[in-house]
């Protein structure tokens, strides 16, 4: 492996006079071959593969994922705050919508309040 | 659990905010004036003076409105009699028209005085907007702002 790394290392033309020694050279010389693989490695890999295969898929997995996120207090607090903000936003939209609708009605009502002729006309037209 | 908590908090925030910013009630003087204050961005002092003007003229306007309503019902009775008996008392009708014209003139004068007095408390920009509201609400009704 170290040999491969050394072989793959880019070789730039340089002269001893012009460039200082590269610290990477020292590190590469200390490179050792990796030790023998652990005897537990293969069972551990298979255990994780099996564990992953047993995980729920689809909607259940999605819910499980959300549930896992919401069990963390910071995310739970963030979620509740977002819900509150959404509620406030929807209330603001609703208030604006109703105020727009009632604006013309209020203008007519106001005019009927200050003009008795209009008020009498409106009362006469009312069923 | 957290999902339900979030839902509950969202609904509570919605209900409280909507309750605090409920649209004005068009059926009351308070609701109409509060709407006018918000629409014209009146200051508290302007709002108070305009409110006093409206409250001061309210009894007279109500009295005129009841006279107009009475004239309308008298006219309906007059018209009913004319249809049934096929007779028209022209003198009575002329008197009726004269009284009605007189009441209409009083209504117009009272309304115009109130509108002008209220407009007098406003800035030019508010006044322009106020006249726009008043004339847009009843373009064919009466030349209030002329």
């Amino acid at each position: 492996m170290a040999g491969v790394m050394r072989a793959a290392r880019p070789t730039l033309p340089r002269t001893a006079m012009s460039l200082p020694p590269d610290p990477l050279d020292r590190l590469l010389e200390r490179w050792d071959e990796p030790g023998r693989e652990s005897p537990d490695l293969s069972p551990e890999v298979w255990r994780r593969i099996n564990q992953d295969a047993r995980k729920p898929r689809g909607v259940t997995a999605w819910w499980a994922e959300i549930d896992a996120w919401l069990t963390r207090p910071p995310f739970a607090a963030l979620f509740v705050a977002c819900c509150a903000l959404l509620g406030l936003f929807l209330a603001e939209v609703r208030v604006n919508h109703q105020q727009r609708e009632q604006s013309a009605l209020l203008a007519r009502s106001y005019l009927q309040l200050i003009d008795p002729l209009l008020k009498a006309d409106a009362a006469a037209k009312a069923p | 659990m957290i999902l339900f908590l979030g839902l509950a908090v969202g609904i509570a925030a919605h209900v409280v905010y909507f309750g605090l910013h409920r649209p004005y009630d068009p059926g009351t003087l308070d609701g109409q004036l509060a709407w006018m204050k918000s629409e014209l961005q009146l200051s508290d002092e302007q709002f108070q003076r305009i409110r006093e003007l409206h409250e001061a003229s309210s009894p007279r306007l109500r009295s005129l409105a009841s006279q107009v309503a009475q004239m309308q019902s008298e006219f309906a009775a007059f018209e009913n009699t004319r249809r049934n008996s096929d007779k028209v008392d022209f003198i009575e009708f002329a008197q009726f028209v004269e009284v009605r014209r007189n009441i209409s003139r009083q209504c117009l004068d009272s309304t115009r005085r109130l509108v002008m007095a209220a407009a007098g408390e406003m800035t030019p920009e508010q006044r322009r907007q106020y006249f726009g509201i008043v004339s847009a609400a009843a373009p064919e009704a009466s030349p209030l702002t002329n």
Side-chain angles (χ1 to χ4, degrees), chain A residues 2-53:
Chain A
V4 173
M5 291 294 291
R6 282 195 192 98
R9 203 169 145 235
T11 55
L12 295 173
R14 59 180 172 140
T15 61
M17 295 295 288
S18 60
L19 290 175
D22 191 342
L24 190 58
D25 287 342
R26 285 201 308 273
L27 291 174
L28 287 173
E29 279 162 13
R30 281 192 306 194
W31 179 277
D32 283 335
E33 286 288 335
R36 296 177 67 82
E37 69 180 35
S38 165
D40 298 336
L41 179 64
S42 182
E44 178 63 18
V45 168
W46 280 111
R47 190 186 68 77
R48 290 196 184 183
I49 288 172
N50 287 333
Q51 192 180 20
D52 187 63

Side-chain angles (χ1 to χ4, degrees), chain B residues 16 23 30 49 59 65 81 85 92 102 105 120 129:
Chain B
V16 169
D30 284 344
R49 285 197 294 273
T81 309
S85 63
E92 191 186 349
N102 189 31
R105 196 179 303 119
Q129 204 181 341

Side-chain angles (χ1 to χ4, degrees), chain A:
Chain A
M1 184 67 179
V4 173
M5 291 294 291
R6 282 195 192 98
R9 203 169 145 235
T11 55
L12 295 173
R14 59 180 172 140
T15 61
M17 295 295 288
S18 60
L19 290 175
D22 191 342
L24 190 58
D25 287 342
R26 285 201 308 273
L27 291 174
L28 287 173
E29 279 162 13
R30 281 192 306 194
W31 179 277
D32 283 335
E33 286 288 335
R36 296 177 67 82
E37 69 180 35
S38 165
D40 298 336
L41 179 64
S42 182
E44 178 63 18
V45 168
W46 280 111
R47 190 186 68 77
R48 290 196 184 183
I49 288 172
N50 287 333
Q51 192 180 20
D52 187 63
R54 278 199 302 272
K55 276 186 183 171
R57 303 283 175 198
V59 178
T60 318
W62 189 72
W63 275 111
E65 191 78 17
I66 288 179
D67 192 43
W69 279 94
L70 290 180
T71 50
R72 303 176 194 181
F75 288 105
L78 184 68
F79 173 74
V80 172
C82 286
C83 285
L85 286 176
L86 182 68
L88 290 175
F89 171 74
L90 292 178
E92 176 64 26
V93 169
R94 194 173 157 203
V95 165
N96 278 341
H97 181 69
Q98 283 211 349
Q99 279 179 351
R100 263 202 311 277
E101 275 185 348
Q102 287 211 312
S103 202
L105 182 63
L106 278 156
R108 272 200 301 277
S109 304
Y110 174 69
L111 208 66
Q112 285 173 16
L113 175 87
I114 62 171
D115 189 347
L117 292 173
L118 274 180
K119 189 173 189 174
D121 278 352
K125 283 176 192 165

